[in-house]
Amino acid sequence: MANVTMKDVAQKAGVSISTVSHVVNNTRFVDAATRERVEAAMEELSYVPNFLARSLRKKTTHTLGIIVSDIGNSFFTDIVKACEDEAYKLGYNTILCNSEENPEKERMYLNVLHQRQIDGIIMAPTGGNLDLIKEINTNTPIVFVDRDIESLNIDYVGIKNFEAAYESMKHLFDLGHKRIALLYSYEHISSTQERMKGYHQAIKDFNLVDDDSLLIKVKASSKTHESREYIRAYLKNNERPDCILVINNMLTIELISVLKELGLASPQDIAVIGITDFYWCWAFEPALSMVHVSQNDLGMRAVDLLVENINGEKKGITKERIDFKLIIRDSCGAMKGPVRIIE
């Protein structure tokens, strides 16, 4: 069998990929019976670990670097947890770095991780440092998570952003909404750009109100909450939209907060639906309608791709997108009975 991977061996032996990794790398104890089963599967499939790829590197540290743009955002917190869990299962340690959407800080962390000769990097890029990322990726594998940089030929695991925004808009259209605003920030990153394209395509397809005044661009900051000032000023000085599609979870929280400050109710005054939910959505008043994606799947898949690359088992570049669900609660104005899930 050509190009046999650890996944093939795991399926043949009836064990997890992490167990195969521990047998191959001797990173953790595996009982004798399980080890024999794995080794038998390796022999039957003619699996040969690609140690040559590793030998071309200066050293193997069994350490992965993780760079996220905002560890204070629960979306990235959950991705980091999934990365760490999967890395541990596969015998790797992790080093966490928080760029805070700052390209200079991101650059510093990239250099530090590279100098420590880690085996690979998972990162949600700020959109800068293209030359450095490209240089590091020549001998230290990198996987982008949540955000991609299309000009760089680098593995990526993300969300079906266009479809998530489009289907959210379709749902709002089906409810009878015509003036649908978009609340967004960080328009230079790929996830925002893709969601904006989904929004604009839905405006066109469903013949909704197309008005630049419905585009609410804010400066987002999870520390200073500057976004609240932008949202507050918009709602005071512009014609009120029927509803607002919010580009991310942090801005959804900020919007609900401002609505309460202004004495506006959701969905009665303004309906709300956001992209990428979080654990406390149900606890808000109103309970938030959100696009659900599995941060666990994002983190695990990013680590799996990275380790496959490190082990020399991967050919070509992977651009992978996981699916989503619409979780319909109270804030969009469609709640009838228990929480509904639209897939």
Side-chain angles (χ1 to χ4, degrees):
M1 182 184 296
N3 299 323
V4 177
T5 67
M6 282 189 184
K7 183 178 180 180
D8 298 320
V9 175
Q11 290 176 342
K12 184 70 177 179
V15 299
S16 66
I17 297 175
S18 60
T19 298
V20 177
S21 177
H22 293 317
V23 171
V24 172
N25 297 306
N26 289 315
T27 47
R28 287 198 175 87
F29 173 76
V30 178
D31 67 81
T34 302
R35 180 178 288 274
E36 288 178 7
R37 198 159 71 248
V38 171
E39 290 174 344
M42 290 168 61
E43 183 175 356
E44 183 174 345
L45 296 174
S46 299
Y47 172 73
V48 180
N50 194 341
F51 292 109
L52 176 60
R54 300 181 206 176
S55 69
L56 294 176
R57 299 168 54 82
K58 293 183 178 179
K59 62 185 298 186
T60 298
T61 61
H62 285 285
T63 302
L64 307 180
I66 305 173
I67 307 176
V68 294
S69 56
D70 183 4
I71 195 61
N73 183 335
S74 63
F75 177 78
F76 288 114
T77 305
D78 290 343
I79 288 177
V80 168
K81 183 181 184 302
C83 286
E84 192 278 331
D85 287 345
E86 185 71 358
Y88 176 80
K89 291 176 184 177
L90 296 176
Y92 287 84
N93 302 307
T94 54
I95 297 175
L96 173 61
C97 305
N98 179 35
S99 71
E100 297 184 297
E101 299 289 359
N102 184 340
E104 292 184 7
K105 193 173 183 182
E106 178 186 75
R107 186 175 187 84
M108 181 269 290
Y109 280 133
L110 283 167
N111 282 318
V112 168
L113 294 174
H114 188 51
Q115 290 165 7
R116 291 195 178 192
Q117 297 182 328
I118 61 167
D119 295 342
I121 298 172
I122 294 169
M123 65 183 298
T126 63
N129 302 305
L130 273 62
D131 290 342
L132 179 59
I133 292 171
K134 184 176 181 180
E135 178 185 349
I136 290 176
N137 189 57
T138 58
N139 54 31
T140 302
I142 294 176
V143 172
F144 291 145
V145 65
D146 180 56
R147 306 170 175 184
D148 194 15
I149 300 178
E150 292 186 5
S151 60
L152 298 179
N153 204 24
I154 288 177
D155 290 331
Y156 159 74
V157 181
I159 303 164
K160 293 180 178 179
N161 291 299
F162 177 94
E163 294 86 349
Y166 188 90
E167 291 302 318
S168 297
M169 291 288 287
K170 182 180 184 301
H171 176 68
L172 294 172
F173 166 74
D174 290 341
L175 293 176
H177 298 302
K178 293 292 185 181
R179 285 180 51 82
I180 305 175
L182 178 69
L183 177 60
Y184 67 101
S185 60
Y186 299 122
E187 62 181 327
H188 64 285
I189 64 174
S190 65
S191 56
T192 298
Q193 292 171 355
E194 292 165 0
R195 293 170 193 178
M196 291 183 72
K197 288 178 181 177
Y199 168 85
H200 287 296
Q201 188 63 50
I203 291 286
K204 178 180 178 181
D205 290 352
F206 305 131
N207 196 29
L208 299 170
V209 175
D210 188 1
D211 187 340
D212 287 345
S213 70
L214 292 172
L215 298 176
I216 315 172
K217 178 183 177 181
V218 304
K219 179 179 180 182
S221 172
S222 61
K223 288 188 175 182
T224 63
H225 302 292
E226 293 177 48
S227 54
R228 290 186 188 179
E229 298 179 13
Y230 287 78
I231 297 169
R232 189 182 300 110
Y234 175 87
L235 293 175
K236 286 183 175 181
N237 299 317
N238 292 272
E239 181 182 352
R240 188 184 303 167
D242 298 338
C243 55
I244 300 177
L245 171 63
V246 192
I247 210 81
N248 62 47
N249 58 348
M250 300 297 286
L251 284 180
T252 305
I253 296 172
E254 301 287 16
L255 173 60
I256 293 297
S257 175
V258 172
L259 291 178
K260 289 183 180 296
E261 288 178 19
L262 298 178
L264 298 173
S266 178
Q268 294 88 338
D269 295 313
I270 299 179
V272 174
I273 189 167
I275 299 179
T276 68
D277 65 344
F278 49 95
Y279 180 73
W280 307 279
C281 286
W282 56 269
F284 277 69
E285 182 60 41
L288 300 176
S289 296
M290 302 287 283
V291 170
H292 169 78
V293 296
S294 173
Q295 291 96 311
N296 190 62
D297 287 351
L298 282 171
M300 289 179 61
R301 187 59 185 137
V303 171
D304 289 346
L305 279 177
L306 189 60
V307 172
E308 287 175 21
N309 203 328
I310 291 169
N311 288 335
E313 298 177 344
K314 190 174 177 301
K315 292 185 177 181
I317 299 300
T318 299
K319 301 288 185 180
E320 187 170 318
R321 296 178 185 274
I322 66 169
D323 217 335
F324 63 91
K325 301 175 183 178
L326 289 182
I327 309 297
I328 305 305
R329 300 185 181 94
D330 297 321
S331 66
C332 66
M335 190 64 174
K336 295 179 181 178
V339 172
R340 293 189 293 122
I341 300 175
I342 301 176
E343 301 189 59

